Amino acid sequence: MKVVAALHLHYYLEAGKHENRGASMNRSLVILAVAALATGCAVAATSGGSPGAATEAFLMQADRDFAVATQARGIDGWMSFYAPDAIRIQYRGNMIKGFDEIRKFDMAYISDTTHVLNWEPTDAHVFRGVSIGSTTGRYWAMSRAGADAGKETGRGRYVTMWRRDGGRWLVIMDTGYPEPAAPAR
């Protein structure tokens, strides 16, 4: 989403207006390093836990269910997938720590009815011990109102880290970054 997607685009656009390029590049490199670590160090788990409960396919479905819950129930659906100790790493911004702080931070965007945030996981990994995993994917935001209704307002990539808790996958870290705007022709 993930949520993220639209939030990241918003903060990317706002931060670009006020931030120096060097600091932005450093943060971008950190986010890319986290993404590389999450996908590059993964070890597929095929045993442990209940049969099939910790496979990549189940983790991909959890990410899709996260998107559906957010679409259907807004901020309540969004937060229903976050662990109490989760963190959100803002693109070009600070880290948000904990369930209540994430809810407060994401409330305005997730509740905004003039835009819709969509995402789709493209890859999942379940790590050693089958209790931690990651998904990566693409997100896109669409306008729902005015002359731009139905038009894409932004897109990018995301990384979400998950933890199995009581047989359920919960988000423990979420971040994303926008794709660069296409050059004007």
Side-chain angles (χ1 to χ4, degrees), residues 164-182:
R164 282 187 54 78
D165 188 8
R168 182 166 180 247
W169 287 105
L170 294 176
V171 174
I172 57 172
M173 188 282 301
D174 191 39
T175 191
Y177 50 93
E179 291 180 359

Side-chain angles (χ1 to χ4, degrees), residues 31-50:
I31 290 172
L32 290 175
V34 168
L37 179 64
T39 58
C41 296
V43 176
T46 57
S47 63
S50 60

Side-chain angles (χ1 to χ4, degrees), residues 6-25:
L7 285 172
H8 298 305
L9 177 65
H10 170 76
Y11 289 102
Y12 168 76
L13 294 173
E14 289 302 311
K17 294 176 186 174
H18 306 289
E19 198 169 77
N20 78 41
R21 206 162 180 70
S24 298
M25 289 301 291

Side-chain angles (χ1 to χ4, degrees), residues 33-135:
V34 168
L37 179 64
T39 58
C41 296
V43 176
T46 57
S47 63
S50 60
T55 66
E56 284 81 3
F58 279 86
L59 187 52
M60 292 277 281
Q61 188 58 51
D63 200 343
R64 288 184 190 104
D65 293 345
F66 181 22
V68 169
T70 301
Q71 295 294 325
R73 298 185 0 249
I75 192 68
D76 292 332
W78 172 254
M79 294 309 301
S80 72
F81 278 80
Y82 273 88
D85 58 343
I87 61 170
R88 276 232 312 102
I89 302 172
Q90 298 178 54
Y91 180 73
R92 294 185 171 173
N94 296 325
M95 186 181 312
I96 312 300
K97 296 179 184 180
F99 186 90
D100 293 335
E101 291 301 310
I102 292 170
R103 183 182 184 90
K104 187 182 342 175
F105 180 79
D106 289 337
M107 176 76 80
Y109 186 79
I110 297 298
S111 300
D112 180 359
T113 59
T114 63
H115 289 85
V116 63
L117 174 63
N118 303 290
W119 69 88
E120 178 67 26
T122 56
D123 199 20
H125 297 280
V126 175
F127 300 96
R128 180 179 49 129
V130 302
S131 63
I132 300 291
S134 69
T135 53

